[in-house]
C-alpha cells in the first residue's frame, strides 16, 4: 500500500434510503439480484445420466437376452429394476442437490445497505434498485451503482482485464441517472457489480441489478462457476475406468469360455458374461464421493463453517498445521480501552469516576486520529472511550473532518489525519499506530525510546493491544487560488510530539483453550500469525494454552533469514508477531514446502494470496472482506477458532466414512465376481445371473449412500495423527484388507456349493442357499467394515440408526425372494428347507470367522495411530 496522501472520505449525511416496504415491493416487481446461473439439474438430465451408464446398458442387454430366450418374467424384472435404479439415483441426486443449494444460499454475497435510516446487512440477492450501499475496502459490489459520497479505488479487472484499480469520485448533484455504459473510467461515479473496492469508504445508490448490470449483460457464464473435480474424485474416476475396461475384457473371455469351452448355449454365455461385468464394475464409488462430500459440507455448515469448495472437505482430515490470527479468532474481537499511559502516569477505567486532566490531550488526539464512524473494533473502542470520558469538554470534535489522510502502509505502521487549525496554512496532525512506528515519527532520543519500549512490553505482557498516539503542526506553503496544498509525500516529513500510549484489551474466547487442547491431541500444530506486538502474542498464547514455548519470531527477524534458516527456526517457534501479509504468504509456502498440510485464517484483502496458497484457506465471516472470503475454501460464520476444530473433526469423520464405504464396496464385489466367474471355469451351471446381481446392487447402493454416510465418529477420532496427504482410500495397501475379506467369503460360498453338488442337491436348491447366504453376508460385511478395531458382532450395540433399518430391509427382501413362489421361480431359486437353512447358517458362521481372522491379522488390523509431535 502506498504512503501517498489520499483525501479522507466525508462523513455521509443522515441517509434514509428505501423503506422496508419500498424495498419489498421492488424486489417483488423486479426480482432477486442474481445473475443467470447454473440451474439445478433437471429430472430429465438425471435420467439421461442414468441410462447412459454402463450398468444401465448392461441391464438393458440382459433384459433383451431374456426376451430372446422367452423368459418374459426375468426380462420384466430386469426392466422393472431399471425404474428402481432411476428412482434411487433421483433420490440421491435430489438429496445432494438440496445440500448444495443450502450451501449456495449461505455463500451468497452480502451487502451493507441503509434502509429506514439504519445500516443493515442483507443478502446480495435482496438488493434492489434505489438501495444505498455502504462500501468499505475489500467489499465486492453487489449491483451497479452511482457513488454519491466518499472516494474509492475499485478493481474492475473482472470486466476490463486491467489490473490497476481506477479512482471513483462522487457524482455531481443532478448528474446522470445511470452509470456510464462501460467500466474502467477514472474519476467517474459509476460502480459495477462484482468489482472490488481496494481502497476507501463510500455510499452508492443502486441503479441496476441482476441481468441489467454490466456483468449480467456480458453473459451468464460469468456468474455460473463449475467446481473442478477434486483429487479424490479424479482418482476414483480413473479407478472405475480401469475396472470398467477389465470388466469388458473378462466378460468377453467369460462368454468365449462358456460357449466354446463349457459348451453352454450362446445366449446363456452372454448372460454369464454380463453378470460378470456387472459384478466387477464398482459403480458405487462415484456415488460415495458425490454424496459423502456434499452432505459432509452440509454437516460442516451446521457447525457454522461454510464450505465454499467441496474439495476442501478432503483436505480437512490431513491438516497438520493450523495458522491462525489472534484478533477475533482466538479472542472475542470486542475491544475496549483498558489503560492510558502518558509519561510516567497511568489511567485505568475500572473504578474511576473521571479522567484526569493529564490524559485529556492523549484521549483527544487518539479520537482525532480515528474516523468518526469507524469499522475497526479498536477504533470503535477509542471513539466510545473518548465520548464517555471527555463528554462535555472542548476535547470532543464530532463532525470535524480531515483535509487529508496518510493510511497505514507496509512501510509505516501508523496513520495520520490532517486537519485545518484555524490559522492560515497551518495544519493540525493526529497520528496513531504501532508504538515503535509512532515513536520513530517523533524522532525521540534513545532514553525516551527505551522508556516507551518498557511501557509497551509491560502492557503487552498482560495481553493488551498497545497503540502510540502523537500530535503535530505543519505549516505549508500557501497554495494558488483554487488549488489544494502540496502535501508531503511521507509522514516522516512532519514533526510530531509523542503524547502517550493507549492500551486495549480483547479477551480470549472462552472455548479456545479446550479447542487448542483438542488440536494437540489430534496432532495438529497451531501457529499464531499476528500483526500484534510479540509480548501481546505471548500473553494471549499463555492465557489460552496455545504454546508453552516463549520464543517469538517477528516480521523483521523473518526478513533477515533465508528459507533454510527460517524453516529450521519454525520447528521451535509457535508464535509469529508483527507480521505483514507478505510474511504470512512466505510462511505458508515454506510450511507447505516442508511437507505440512496448512490451514490458514485471514480476513483482509492482503490476506487473499496466503489464503489461496494454503491447502485450506479459512476466511472470517463476520469481520472478513469479500475478497478474503472468495479466496478461501472455508468461511467461519462467527469467526471462532473452535469452529475450525469442529470442521477438522467433521473432515476426519467424513474421510473415515469414505474409507469404510470403499472397503465395503471392494469387499462385497469380490465374492460376487467369484460366484459369477468360477462356475464357468469348473463347468458348473451359472450361479449368479444378472437378475441376482441387480438385486444385490439394490442392497449395496443404499448401504453406501445411507448407512456408511450416517456413521458416527470414532471414539479416537481426534486422538490420531493427521492422515498422510498421499494416503488415498483407493490405495493398494488399504484395499488389500477388503480383497482378503471378499476372497475368503467367496471361497466359503463356493466350497459350500461344491459340497451341495457332491450331495446331489439340485442346482436351484444350492443356488438358493448360496444366494441367501450372500445377501446376509452383505450385512456381515457392513458390520465388519464399520470399525476394524472391533469384531463385527459389536455392531448390535452401535449408534448408527440406519444399521438395523438396513438389516430389516435385507431380511424382508430375502424373505420375499425365497418365500414368494413366483418370485422364487423368477430368480431360479428353491426354498432352502431345514437342511438348507442349517447349511446357510454354517456358511455364515464360517464367513464371520474368516472376517474376524482377517481383522485380527497383524498387518491388516487397524491400530490407533500415534499422536504426532507438536
Amino acid at each position: 500500500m502506498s504512503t501517498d496522501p489520499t483525501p479522507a472520505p466525508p462523513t455521509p449525511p443522515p441517509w434514509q434510503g428505501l423503506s422496508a416496504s419500498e424495498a419489498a415491493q421492488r424486489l417483488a416487481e423486479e426480482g432477486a439480484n442474481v445473475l443467470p446461473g447454473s440451474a439445478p439439474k433437471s429430472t430429465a438430465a438425471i435420467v439421461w445420466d442414468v441410462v447412459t451408464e454402463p450398468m444401465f446398458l448392461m441391464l438393458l442387454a440382459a433384459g433383451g437376452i431374456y426376451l430372446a430366450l422367452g423368459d418374459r418374467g426375468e426380462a420384466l424384472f430386469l426392466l422393472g429394476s431399471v425404474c428402481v435404479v432411476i428412482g434411487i439415483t433421483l433420490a440421491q441426486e435430489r438429496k445432494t442437490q438440496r445440500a448444495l443449494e443450502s450451501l449456495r444460499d449461505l455463500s451468497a454475497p452480502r451487502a451493507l445497505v441503509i434502509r429506514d435510516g439504519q445500516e443493515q446487512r442483507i443478502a446480495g440477492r435482496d438488493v434492489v434498485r434505489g438501495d444505498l450501499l455502504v462500501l468499505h475496502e475489500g467489499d465486492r459490489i453487489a449491483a451497479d451503482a452511482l457513488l454519491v459520497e466518499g472516494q474509492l479505488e475499485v478493481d474492475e479487472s473482472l470486466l476490463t482485464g486491467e489490473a490497476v484499480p481506477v479512482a471513483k469520485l462522487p457524482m455531481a448533484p443532478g448528474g446522470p441517472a445511470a452509470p456510464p455504459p462501460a467500466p474502467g473510467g477514472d474519476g467517474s461515479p459509476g460502480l459495477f457489480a462484482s468489482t472490488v473496492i481496494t481502497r476507501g469508504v463510500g455510499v452508492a445508490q443502486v441503479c441496476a441489478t441482476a441481468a441489467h448490470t454490466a456483468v449480467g449483460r456480458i453473459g451468464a457464464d460469468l456468474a455460473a462457476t463449475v467446481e473442478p473435480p477434486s483429487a479424490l474424485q479424479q482418482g476414483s474416476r480413473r479407478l472405475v475406468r480401469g475396472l470398467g475396461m477389465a470388466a469388458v475384457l473378462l466378460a468377453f473371455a467369460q462368454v468365449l469360455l462358456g460357449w466354446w469351452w463349457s459348451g453352454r448355449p450362446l445366449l446363456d454365455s452372454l448372460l454369464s458374461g454380463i453378470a460378470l461385468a456387472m459384478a466387477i464394475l464398482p459403480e458405487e464409488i462415484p456415488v460415495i464421493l458425490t454424496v459423502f462430500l456434499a452432505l459432509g459440507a452440509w454437516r460442516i455448515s451446521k457447525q457454522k463453517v461454510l464450505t465454499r469448495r467441496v474439495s476442501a472437505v478432503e483436505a480437512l482430515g490431513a491438516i497438520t498445521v493450523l495458522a491462525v490470527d489472534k484478533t477475533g479468532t482466538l479472542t472475542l474481537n470486542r475491544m475496549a480501552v483498558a489503560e492510558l499511559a502518558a509519561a510516567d502516569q497511568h489511567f485505568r477505567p475500572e473504578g474511576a469516576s473521571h479522567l484526569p486532566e493529564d490524559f485529556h490531550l492523549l484521549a483527544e488526539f487518539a479520537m482525532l486520529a480515528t474516523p468518526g464512524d469507524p469499522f475497526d473494533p479498536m477504533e470503535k473502542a477509542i471513539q466510545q472511550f473518548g465520548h464517555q470520558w471527555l463528554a462535555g469538554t472542548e476535547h470532543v470534535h464530532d463532525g470535524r473532518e480531515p483535509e487529508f489522510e496518510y493510511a497505514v502502509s507496509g512501510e509505516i505502521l501508523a496513520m495520520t489525519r490532517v486537519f485545518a487549525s484555524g490559522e492560515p496554512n497551518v495544519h493540525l496532525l493526529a497520528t496513531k499506530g504501532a508504538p515503535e512506528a509512532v515513536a520513530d515519527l517523533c524522532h525521540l532520543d534513545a532514553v525516551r525510546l527505551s522508556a516507551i519500549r518498557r511501557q509497551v512490553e509491560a502492557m503487552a505482557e498482560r495481553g493488551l493491544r498497545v497503540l502510540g498516539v502523537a500530535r503535530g503542526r505543519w505549516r505549508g506553503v500557501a497554495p494558488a487560488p483554487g488549488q489544494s496544498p502540496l502535501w508531503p509525500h511521507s509522514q516522516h516529513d512532519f514533526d510530531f510530539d509523542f503524547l502517550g500510549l493507549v492500551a486495549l484489551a480483547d479477551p480470549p474466547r472462552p472455548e479456545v483453550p479446550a479447542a487448542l487442547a483438542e488440536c494437540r491431541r489430534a496432532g495438529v500444530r497451531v501457529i499464531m500469525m499476528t500483526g500484534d506486538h510479540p509480548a501481546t502474542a505471548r500473553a494471549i498464547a499463555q492465557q489460552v494454552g496455545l504454546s508453552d514455548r516463549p520464543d517469538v519470531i517477528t516480521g523483521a527477524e523473518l526478513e533477515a533469514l533465508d528459507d533454510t534458516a527460517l524453516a529450521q527456526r519454525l520447528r521451535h517457534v509457535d508464535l509469529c508477531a508483527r507480521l505483514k501479509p507478505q510474511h504470512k504468504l512466505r510462511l505458508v509456502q515454506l510450511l507447505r514446502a516442508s511437507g505440512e498440510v496448512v490451514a490458514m485464517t485471514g480476513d483482509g484483502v492482503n490476506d487473499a494470496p496466503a489464503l489461496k496458497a494454503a491447502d485450506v484457506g479459512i476466511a472470517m465471516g463476520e469481520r472478513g472482506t469479500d475478497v478474503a472470503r472468495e479466496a478461501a475454501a472455508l468461511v467461519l460464520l462467527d469467526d471462532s477458532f473452535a469452529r475450525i476444530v469442529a470442521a477438522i473433526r467433521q473432515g476426519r469423520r467424513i474421510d473415515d466414512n469414505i474409507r469404510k464405504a470403499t472397503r465395503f464396496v471392494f469387499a462385497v464385489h469380490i465374492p460376487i465376481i467369484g460366484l459369477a466367474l468360477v462356475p464357468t471355469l469348473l463347468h458348473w451351471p451359472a450361479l449368479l445371473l444378472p437378475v441376482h446381481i441387480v438385486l444385490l446392487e439394490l442392497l449395496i447402493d443404499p448401504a453406501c449412500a445411507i448407512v456408511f454416510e450416517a456413521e458416527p465418529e470414532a471414539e479416537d477420532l481426534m486422538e490420531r495423527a493427521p492422515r498422510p496427504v498421499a494416503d488415498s482410500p483407493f490405495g493398494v495397501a488399504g484395499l488389500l484388507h477388503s480383497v482378503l475379506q471378499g476372497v475368503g467369503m467367496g471361497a466359503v460360498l463356493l466350497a459350500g456349493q461344491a459340497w451341495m453338488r457332491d450331495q446331489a442337491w439340485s442346482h436351484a436348491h444350492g443356488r438358493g442357499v448360496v444366494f441367501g447366504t450372500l445377501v446376509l453376508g452383505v450385512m456381515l460385511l457392513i458390520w465388519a467394515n464399520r470399525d476394524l478395531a472391533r469384531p463385527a458382532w459389536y455392531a448390535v450395540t452401535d449408534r448408527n440408526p440406519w444399521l438395523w433399518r438396513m438389516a430389516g430391509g435385507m431380511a424382508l427382501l430375502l424373505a420375499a425372494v425365497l418365500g414368494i413362489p413366483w418370485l422364487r421361480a423368477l430368480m431360479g431359486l428353491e426354498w432352502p428347507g431345514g437342511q438348507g437353512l442349517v447349511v446357510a447358517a454354517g456358511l455364515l458362521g464360517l464367513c464371520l470367522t474368516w472376517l474376524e481372522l482377517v481383522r485380527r491379522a497383524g498387518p491388516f488390523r487397524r491400530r490407533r495411530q500415534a499422536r504426532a509431535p507438536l
Side-chain angles (χ1 to χ4, degrees):
M1 188 180 293
S2 172
T3 58
D4 293 341
T6 57
T11 300
W15 299 102
Q16 288 298 312
L18 298 177
S19 66
S21 58
E22 287 174 326
Q25 182 179 353
R26 291 193 183 182
L27 186 63
E29 292 174 352
E30 300 177 5
N33 178 36
V34 291
L35 294 172
S38 53
K41 187 182 289 187
S42 65
T43 301
I46 297 172
V47 172
W48 175 254
D49 286 345
V50 174
V51 300
T52 54
E53 285 184 355
M55 182 65 73
F56 184 88
L57 296 177
M58 286 186 282
L59 285 174
L60 289 182
I65 293 172
Y66 274 123
L67 283 176
L69 291 172
D71 295 331
R72 294 183 179 179
E74 287 88 342
L76 290 175
F77 179 83
L78 280 179
L79 297 177
S81 67
V82 167
C83 298
V84 177
V85 170
I86 291 175
I88 291 175
T89 305
L90 279 172
Q92 291 172 345
E93 186 76 24
R94 289 284 180 248
K95 187 176 182 181
T96 302
Q97 192 166 285
R98 283 194 299 270
L100 292 176
E101 285 172 355
S102 67
L103 292 176
R104 278 196 294 268
D105 290 341
L106 283 173
S107 62
R110 301 183 68 79
L112 185 64
V113 301
I114 300 175
R115 288 183 181 172
D116 293 316
Q118 300 292 323
E119 290 187 4
Q120 48 185 288
R121 193 167 292 278
I122 63 173
R125 62 179 292 115
D126 294 333
V127 172
V128 298
R129 187 173 49 83
D131 261 328
L132 289 176
L133 300 175
V134 181
L135 301 169
H136 295 86
E137 177 181 321
D139 287 350
R140 188 171 289 279
I141 302 172
D144 284 6
L146 291 169
L147 186 64
V148 295
E149 283 290 346
Q151 297 182 28
L152 304 172
E153 289 186 7
V154 184
D155 177 3
E156 295 183 344
S157 58
L158 174 70
L159 301 175
T160 65
E162 296 292 336
V164 179
V166 294
K168 299 293 181 179
L169 299 177
M171 63 179 291
D186 240 337
S188 73
L191 303 173
F192 300 90
S194 297
T195 59
V196 178
I197 308 296
T198 60
R199 191 176 183 186
V201 179
V203 177
Q205 186 172 33
V206 175
C207 55
T209 61
H212 301 292
T213 62
V215 168
R217 288 192 297 269
I218 289 174
D221 54 347
L222 285 176
T225 57
V226 178
E227 183 179 345
S230 67
L232 196 58
Q233 290 169 324
Q234 291 174 341
S236 72
R237 289 174 185 176
R238 287 194 296 269
L239 176 66
V240 171
R241 280 197 299 268
L243 290 174
M245 294 178 62
V248 171
L249 294 175
L250 288 174
F252 183 71
Q254 169 93 333
V255 172
L256 290 181
L257 285 173
W259 179 44
W260 175 71
W261 190 41
S262 297
R264 293 181 187 169
L266 178 60
L267 292 181
D268 285 349
S269 298
L270 284 173
L271 286 175
S272 297
I274 291 173
L276 179 61
M278 292 170 68
I280 294 174
L281 192 64
E283 80 286 351
E284 303 89 359
I285 296 296
V287 173
I288 290 172
L289 296 182
T290 301
V291 173
F292 280 41
L293 292 179
L295 291 181
W298 176 77
R299 290 181 189 275
I300 290 173
S301 73
K302 297 299 182 182
Q303 303 291 332
K304 294 190 176 182
V305 180
L306 169 63
T307 306
R308 296 196 71 256
R309 287 189 285 277
V310 174
S311 57
V313 176
E314 295 177 26
L316 283 171
I319 289 172
T320 59
V321 172
L322 191 51
V324 296
D325 193 10
K326 176 185 72 67
T327 304
T329 306
L330 299 177
T331 63
L332 289 170
N333 198 27
R334 296 175 187 167
M335 303 298 293
V337 174
E339 186 174 344
L340 300 182
D344 293 328
Q345 301 183 68
H346 293 261
F347 170 77
R348 295 185 178 92
E350 295 86 358
S353 59
H354 70 282
L355 181 67
E357 184 69 31
D358 292 340
F359 295 97
H360 282 200
L361 203 60
L362 172 58
E364 175 186 1
F365 275 83
M367 290 181 69
L368 284 173
T370 302
D373 184 21
F375 180 74
D376 182 82
M378 288 197 303
E379 293 185 327
K380 285 184 176 180
I382 290 171
Q383 287 289 356
Q384 290 167 358
F385 178 88
H387 282 94
Q388 177 184 351
W389 294 95
L390 296 178
T393 72
E394 72 278 8
H395 298 289
V396 177
H397 306 281
D398 286 340
R400 188 173 184 180
E401 293 300 327
E403 296 177 285
F404 282 97
E405 281 187 359
Y406 292 85
V408 175
S409 70
E411 292 76 23
I412 303 176
L413 296 176
M415 64 177 292
T416 297
R417 306 182 88 211
V418 184
F419 299 87
S421 68
E423 300 179 34
N425 303 321
V426 176
H427 307 274
L428 193 65
L429 311 173
T431 297
K432 76 173 189 300
E436 60 267 32
V438 176
D440 183 54
L441 291 174
C442 296
H443 308 294
L444 302 176
D445 58 44
V447 174
R448 186 79 188 279
L449 283 174
S450 177
I452 292 172
R453 189 178 299 113
R454 287 195 299 271
Q455 285 183 317
V456 171
E457 290 176 353
M459 291 176 169
E461 284 174 359
R462 305 201 314 270
L464 301 179
R465 178 79 176 268
V466 187
L467 297 176
V469 179
R471 69 169 179 171
R473 291 171 67 86
W474 178 73
R475 183 179 296 275
V477 179
Q483 299 292 321
S484 299
L486 185 62
W487 299 101
H489 179 74
S490 170
Q491 298 174 76
H492 280 295
D493 297 323
F494 296 115
D495 290 322
F496 293 97
D497 295 322
F498 193 84
L499 296 178
L501 302 171
V502 177
L504 301 100
D506 183 14
R509 290 179 178 268
E511 69 273 15
V512 167
L516 284 168
E518 191 170 16
C519 281
R520 279 194 294 274
R521 291 195 301 272
V524 178
R525 180 187 176 197
V526 181
I527 299 178
M528 182 192 296
M529 295 186 183
T530 179
D532 274 352
H533 191 279
T536 307
R538 188 182 295 113
I540 293 296
Q542 290 174 350
Q543 289 179 40
V544 299
L546 186 147
S547 175
D548 295 328
R549 297 188 283 202
D551 290 345
V552 181
I553 186 170
T554 64
E557 294 171 337
L558 184 150
E559 289 176 350
L561 298 174
D562 60 24
D563 286 350
T564 303
L566 181 57
Q568 180 65 29
R569 181 79 185 276
L570 276 178
R571 293 193 180 98
H572 310 288
V573 175
D574 298 323
L575 307 179
C576 305
R578 281 291 185 250
L579 295 185
K580 300 172 185 177
Q582 61 267 31
H583 297 152
K584 294 182 181 180
L585 175 60
R586 184 185 175 195
L587 287 171
V588 168
Q589 291 173 335
L590 195 60
L591 286 166
R592 293 194 66 208
S594 302
E596 306 286 359
V597 180
V598 182
M600 180 199 161
T601 67
D603 59 358
V605 176
N606 292 332
D607 288 329
L611 290 173
K612 284 186 176 180
D615 295 281
V616 181
I618 305 171
M620 304 295 104
E622 289 185 343
R623 61 188 169 91
T625 62
D626 288 345
V627 175
R629 285 192 286 268
E630 292 191 4
L634 302 178
V635 178
L636 300 185
L637 299 182
D638 65 356
D639 293 4
S640 172
F641 175 81
R643 303 298 182 186
I644 305 175
V645 182
I648 293 175
R649 175 183 288 274
Q650 282 292 330
R652 291 190 173 193
R653 172 186 169 275
I654 293 163
D655 180 74
D656 264 9
N657 290 348
I658 287 176
R659 292 171 186 274
K660 293 174 184 178
T662 303
R663 285 199 307 264
F664 164 74
V665 166
F666 278 86
V668 81
H669 274 265
I670 296 296
I672 297 175
I673 293 171
L675 294 176
L677 177 63
V678 172
T680 299
L681 301 177
L682 298 179
H683 300 279
W684 293 354
L687 271 177
L688 293 184
L689 298 175
V691 288
H692 305 122
I693 294 177
V694 165
L695 199 62
L696 291 168
E697 291 294 340
L698 294 180
L699 298 175
I700 296 171
D701 278 355
C704 295
I706 298 175
V707 176
F708 284 106
E709 198 284 326
E711 273 292 288
E713 64 185 49
E715 294 177 358
D716 66 340
L717 186 71
M718 295 297 283
E719 296 178 5
R720 316 176 201 154
R723 66 169 175 82
V725 69
D727 183 15
S728 169
F730 311 116
V732 174
L735 295 180
L736 184 58
H737 183 99
S738 304
V739 171
L740 285 175
Q741 285 182 326
V743 166
M745 182 173 285
V748 168
L749 294 176
L750 287 169
Q753 173 67 8
W755 181 83
M756 287 182 283
R757 283 176 61 83
D758 287 343
Q759 300 300 312
W761 289 26
S762 70
H763 182 67
H765 195 183
R767 177 189 280 169
V769 172
V770 170
F771 182 75
T773 306
L774 180 59
V775 169
L776 297 176
V778 171
M779 198 66 218
L780 286 184
L781 286 172
I782 292 175
W783 288 351
N785 283 284
R786 292 178 64 243
D787 186 355
L788 298 186
R790 301 189 305 172
W793 51 81
Y794 272 86
V796 298
T797 62
D798 227 312
R799 299 168 289 164
N800 191 332
W802 287 99
L803 195 63
W804 286 106
R805 298 173 192 173
M806 185 71 187
M810 282 189 178
L812 288 174
L813 182 64
L814 187 58
V817 168
L818 294 177
I820 301 175
W822 67 268
L823 189 56
R824 188 169 63 237
L826 182 70
M827 304 290 290
L829 307 174
E830 284 185 14
W831 173 251
Q835 192 176 6
L837 292 176
V838 171
V839 172
L843 294 176
L844 271 179
L846 290 174
C847 289
L848 185 60
T849 302
W850 172 254
L851 294 177
E852 179 60 16
L853 289 174
V854 172
R855 188 191 70 83
R856 289 177 175 272
F860 312 112
R861 183 179 182 182
R862 194 196 76 181
R863 297 183 178 92
R864 177 170 295 187
Q865 299 179 7
R867 288 168 54 187
L870 298 179

